[in-house]
Amino acid sequence: MRTLRTLRTLSTLKRYDRQIILPELGIDGQHKLLNARILVIGAGGLGCPLLLYLAAAGIGHIGIVDNDLVDETNLHRQVLYHMADIGKYKVNVAVAKLQLLNPDVQFTPYPFRLTAKNAEELIGQYDLVIDGSDNFPTRYLVNDTCVALNKTLVFGSIFQFEGQVSVFNFNAGPDYRSIYPEPPLPDEVPNCGESGVIGTLPGIIGSIMANEAIKVICDFGEVLSGQLLVFNALNNETQRFNFGEANNSSNPLKNTDQDNTKEINMQDLEQWKNDQLNYQLVDLREPYEYEEYNIGGINIPLYNLNDHLDKLSNTQRIVCCCSSGKRSKIAMHLLKDRFDGPIFSLILPEK
């Protein structure tokens, strides 16, 4: 049986004074934080800022899963680490530094990968899970385990100048597969090592993830359940997209698209041309990307899509395309309930 922790000293009260005086949080909210158990998957770019803010807020117990060692290429964005930490396990370095920030918090480092063999046991020990991982197998494993165990999942991802945040499986709400039903193929997956990422982006997205976790624990504010927040660091645009209704399915593998959505490849598109089938191609990349290279169609950046729905056909097939498939899949799910015709997602071929 878990022992409840309380605010026992004046020094503890002083530490959290500025958030306790918020009427939405108060003493009751601070007690909820002190008694919360959060598991953070990934101590990298997203994990560093969100761990700092969770520890500072007074989360009672934080578990950290990451098998990576600190590398010099991490240092421009992973702000918990210094040059002297290179070659050390991230989880061990993170715990040592976070304990200096807030000795009230209990930390458990897990210097190994989350796998199908250990996911259920690990996640089952915590109230809330935060996924800051950087690979699709881990994201699907975390999501499906949280659904099976009925755990709320705070999710974030970053790529180049784009960040995404959502809260999955909150009060039986939609989960990660509601947006991305199946993992992409290995050759379709970009990563920061190949494509890069601006160092400030994980700080912005990680902070939003920590904020969502605090709201979930303390039960105040509007939680990003059934909504995907997308932030563009190039122009500071922030969009929120609704993507699903409450999902009570006990099997996450059963969550599939409606019949009017499907992924296609360039061979499919060429066959449509040969068969003289009508379709509308919508390139969802930024204008500079479209000007550099495109295969035709109209250019409507994902962040502006809601403002230009009148440009889309309700009588033709709509093909959403982008370079990695991420933006086109988001658009496909956003449009499927607004248009009668079929919606398709296409990954652009390399130049």
Side-chain angles (χ1 to χ4, degrees), residues 5 17 49 66 94 109 159-160 195 199 240 268 270 302 319 337:
R5 303 177 67 188
D17 175 72
D66 198 309
F159 177 72
Q160 294 185 332
S195 304
R240 288 199 302 177
D268 296 321
E270 291 298 327
L302 175 64
V319 180
D337 295 325

Side-chain angles (χ1 to χ4, degrees), residues 139-140 143-144 147 153 166-170 172-183 225-228 241-249 251-258 261 329-337:
R139 290 174 185 171
Y140 282 92
N143 174 80
D144 294 351
V147 171
L153 170 63
S166 189
V167 177
F168 298 126
N169 205 41
F170 178 70
D175 66 288
Y176 185 69
R177 289 183 183 270
S178 299
I179 310 178
Y180 305 111
E182 299 295 336
S225 175
Q227 301 178 71
L228 183 72
F241 302 109
N242 296 323
F243 62 82
E245 301 296 333
N247 170 26
N248 295 303
S249 172
N251 183 356
L253 299 179
K254 297 292 185 181
N255 297 331
T256 57
D257 283 345
Q258 292 184 3
T261 61
K329 287 181 182 178
I330 293 172
M332 179 174 66
H333 286 273
L334 292 172
L335 297 175
K336 66 182 181 181
D337 295 325

Side-chain angles (χ1 to χ4, degrees), residues 71-82:
D71 186 85
E72 189 170 0
T73 60
N74 303 147
L75 300 184
H76 90 291
R77 67 192 182 283
Q78 299 183 19
V79 292
L80 271 174
Y81 312 124
H82 303 155

Side-chain angles (χ1 to χ4, degrees), residues 21-290:
I21 62 177
L22 294 168
E24 291 84 358
L25 199 145
I27 290 288
D28 288 343
Q30 190 61 53
H31 279 135
K32 291 177 181 178
L33 295 176
L34 288 173
N35 287 283
R37 294 172 59 87
I38 293 181
L39 182 66
V40 175
I41 313 296
L46 291 171
C48 285
L50 73 87
L51 283 167
L52 282 165
Y53 281 107
L54 293 178
I59 300 299
H61 191 136
I62 301 175
I64 311 171
V65 183
D66 198 309
N67 72 326
D68 273 353
L69 308 178
V70 179
D71 186 85
E72 189 170 0
T73 60
N74 303 147
L75 300 184
H76 90 291
R77 67 192 182 283
Q78 299 183 19
V79 292
L80 271 174
Y81 312 124
H82 303 155
M83 287 293 291
D85 301 321
I86 291 174
K88 300 177 183 178
Y89 276 105
K90 291 180 180 179
V91 289
N92 294 335
V93 176
V95 167
K97 295 183 178 179
L98 293 167
Q99 284 176 329
L100 294 175
L101 172 63
N102 192 345
D104 291 343
V105 180
Q106 297 178 359
F107 296 94
T108 302
Y110 301 102
F112 49 78
R113 292 185 66 86
L114 192 78
T115 67
K117 292 183 178 180
N118 62 32
E120 185 171 342
E121 179 183 358
L122 271 180
I123 290 175
Q125 300 175 48
Y126 292 86
D127 307 318
L128 176 70
V129 180
I130 305 181
D131 184 9
S133 63
D134 60 359
N135 65 88
F136 285 99
T138 299
R139 290 174 185 171
Y140 282 92
L141 174 61
V142 173
N143 174 80
D144 294 351
T145 306
C146 284
V147 171
L149 298 179
N150 196 28
K151 304 286 184 178
T152 297
L153 170 63
V154 177
F155 165 80
S157 70
I158 52 174
F159 177 72
Q160 294 185 332
F161 295 94
E162 177 185 297
Q164 301 179 4
V165 183
S166 189
V167 177
F168 298 126
N169 205 41
F170 178 70
N171 293 337
D175 66 288
Y176 185 69
R177 289 183 183 270
S178 299
I179 310 178
Y180 305 111
E182 299 295 336
L185 297 174
D187 60 354
E188 298 175 350
V189 180
N191 59 61
C192 293
E194 298 173 351
S195 304
V197 62
I198 188 71
T200 52
L201 182 62
I204 297 167
I205 300 302
S207 297
I208 297 173
M209 294 167 69
N211 189 58
E212 289 301 298
I214 292 170
K215 289 192 299 183
V216 169
I217 292 167
C218 296
D219 191 23
F220 67 84
E222 180 183 344
V223 175
L224 285 169
S225 175
Q227 301 178 71
L228 183 72
L229 184 148
V230 182
F231 173 76
N232 183 348
L234 284 173
N235 54 22
N236 293 318
E237 282 191 350
T238 302
Q239 299 281 328
R240 288 199 302 177
F241 302 109
N242 296 323
F243 62 82
E245 301 296 333
N247 170 26
N248 295 303
S249 172
S250 60
N251 183 356
L253 299 179
K254 297 292 185 181
N255 297 331
T256 57
D257 283 345
Q258 292 184 3
D259 292 339
N260 66 329
T261 61
K262 185 179 179 181
E263 295 176 42
I264 62 170
N265 55 37
M266 284 301 299
Q267 288 74 23
D268 296 321
L269 200 64
E270 291 298 327
Q271 186 62 50
W272 290 2
K273 292 178 182 178
N274 294 336
D275 295 340
Q276 297 183 339
L277 294 177
N278 291 326
Y279 63 89
Q280 183 180 29
L281 182 65
V282 183
D283 193 316
L284 298 152
R285 299 174 300 158
E286 294 298 311
Y288 75 91
E289 297 175 282
Y290 182 81

